[in-house]
Amino acid sequence: MPGVIVDCAIYREGRRHECARDFSRALAAARAEGHSFLWLGMYEPTQHEFDQVSSEFGLHPLAVEDALKAHQRPKLEVYDDSVFVVLKPITYDVTADTVTASELMVFVGDSFVVTVRHGTASPLAAVRARLEHHPEILRHGPGAVLYAISDAVVDHYIEVAGELQVDMEELEAEVFAPIRREARGTAAQIYAFKREVLEFRRATVPLVEPMNRLQNPGVPFVHDHARPFFRDVGDHLTRANESVESLDRLLSDILAAHLAQMGVRQNDDMRKISAWAALAAVPTLIAGIYGMNFSDMPELKWPLGYPLILLLMATIEVLLYRLFKRRGWL
């Protein structure tokens, strides 16, 4: 159990105090004191490890099931004794050009916050440290923690969107650069990049509805004074979604342009092949006719027939070459 619990603290008037291992006693003390709450952070707990926590905090079984299984879409669910929020923090590996989404579940209730992390991408350590330097924010209770976590996750979305924009501009420059033989694998790069953008959208787009609900009355354990702050988070989320939608559209345009370039390149190749085939066909045709071994053939016994046929072949070849060259086929 200690390895699963990342951090546990009671915040009284915004000040941190270490909590005991008896969560029920610590929670009862926080509720009795007023202006206090318990924040318990866990990392990938098993069913057995989470049973004690869920029973002592009175967490809803459906929310517990989602928190343990992970692989959830961002959402907000309201139960009798708690609010359950699913967030998907993301990281972008610039060297590998991969977007990795983790999962972060937040239970907010009467005088408690329980966070459950799955994956490596998580802003919680930095969020907790930042909040502890601003006790005036922590004085607003569990809703302030939910706001700070949401704000950190969404702000990181904007940072990742900026990094994706830089990489997309590099990819765009490569596509519209002079065509090279090795550029034929660019389509695979565009498709791979499009998959990463899609992974990004899976994290950002479904979060719009939960953020809209947190901006409006009706969500318990979230103070009315916190709603303007969630509105600010919603604005940042809109910016992130606009960025990712713009990236997706631009990638589609870049892919279409690249495929058009490849089509033009293939047409050029076919014209060149056809032109060289025509140049080779003329002497082959004439030589084939005179190689048929008929006894009666024009100019067969004429002394100048052989050089005349060679001159005819050369003349036709030169004329065809100049014609194809003028039309850009060679």
Side-chain angles (χ1 to χ4, degrees), residues 263-285:
V264 171
R265 176 63 178 270
Q266 290 174 353
N267 290 336
D268 289 342
D269 291 344
M270 289 302 298
R271 283 197 293 265
K272 289 180 180 179
I273 293 172
S274 300
W276 287 113
L279 290 172
V282 171
T284 302
L285 175 63

Side-chain angles (χ1 to χ4, degrees), residues 138-159:
L138 284 172
R139 287 194 185 99
H140 290 87
V145 176
L146 178 60
Y147 155 71
I149 294 173
S150 304
D151 185 57
V153 171
V154 172
D155 283 348
H156 191 61
Y157 288 163
I158 297 176
E159 296 175 9

Side-chain angles (χ1 to χ4, degrees), residues 171-182:
L171 183 60
E172 183 180 19
E174 181 179 350
V175 169
F176 292 104
I179 299 177
R180 305 178 302 276
R181 289 289 177 183
E182 58 269 21

Side-chain angles (χ1 to χ4, degrees), residues 76-79 82-83 212-224 227:
L76 183 150
E77 294 180 349
V78 177
Y79 299 101
S82 63
V83 173
N212 288 338
R213 290 180 63 185
L214 288 169
Q215 297 172 29
N216 300 314
V219 179
F221 312 113
V222 177
H223 199 276
D224 290 340
R227 304 195 192 286

